[in-house]
Amino acid sequence: QVQLVESGGGLVQAGDSLRLSCAASGRTFSSYVMGWFRQAPGKEREFVGAISWRGGRTYYADSVKGRFTISRDNAKNTVYLQMNSLKPEDTAVYNCAAGFIFGSSSVSYDYWGQGTQVTVSS
């Protein structure tokens, strides 16, 4: 089992950058695929991106491709989401998740963090 804690959210202006972190407990962090999801008010949860066990593969939603980058440091049990050129439509609660299947479906992930709010003003 793994516990996930996100941090780094906040209020920024359009065009700014923000880096989210997700710290994981446990000694098996490198066994998990890590994903980022987001949910805006009144909308369904949306896949943002995922990174494979050792970081060799990444996969992004079209809406963030070229602006967001996922990375991980297995020595620090941490996954990151670097968000550049932020837009108001990126406003959402961002959750990291851990699972064993590399993909974009939320059902592929077994463990979830509590989320961190990102608000982008225009």
Side-chain angles (χ1 to χ4, degrees), residues 79-101:
V79 62
Y80 305 97
L81 179 66
Q82 177 67 44
M83 305 184 293
N84 298 330
S85 302
L86 282 161
K87 305 175 181 179
E89 50 263 44
D90 294 319
T91 295
V93 174
Y94 284 72
N95 295 88
C96 66
F100 297 102
I101 300 174

Side-chain angles (χ1 to χ4, degrees), residues 34-38 44-51 59-64 70 103-106 109:
M34 298 301 297
W36 283 97
F37 291 79
R38 66 186 183 185
E44 294 187 353
R45 179 181 288 166
E46 175 188 21
F47 171 75
V48 174
I51 188 166
Y59 176 47
Y60 299 96
D62 288 342
S63 58
V64 306
I70 297 175
S104 61
S105 174
S106 61
Y109 295 86

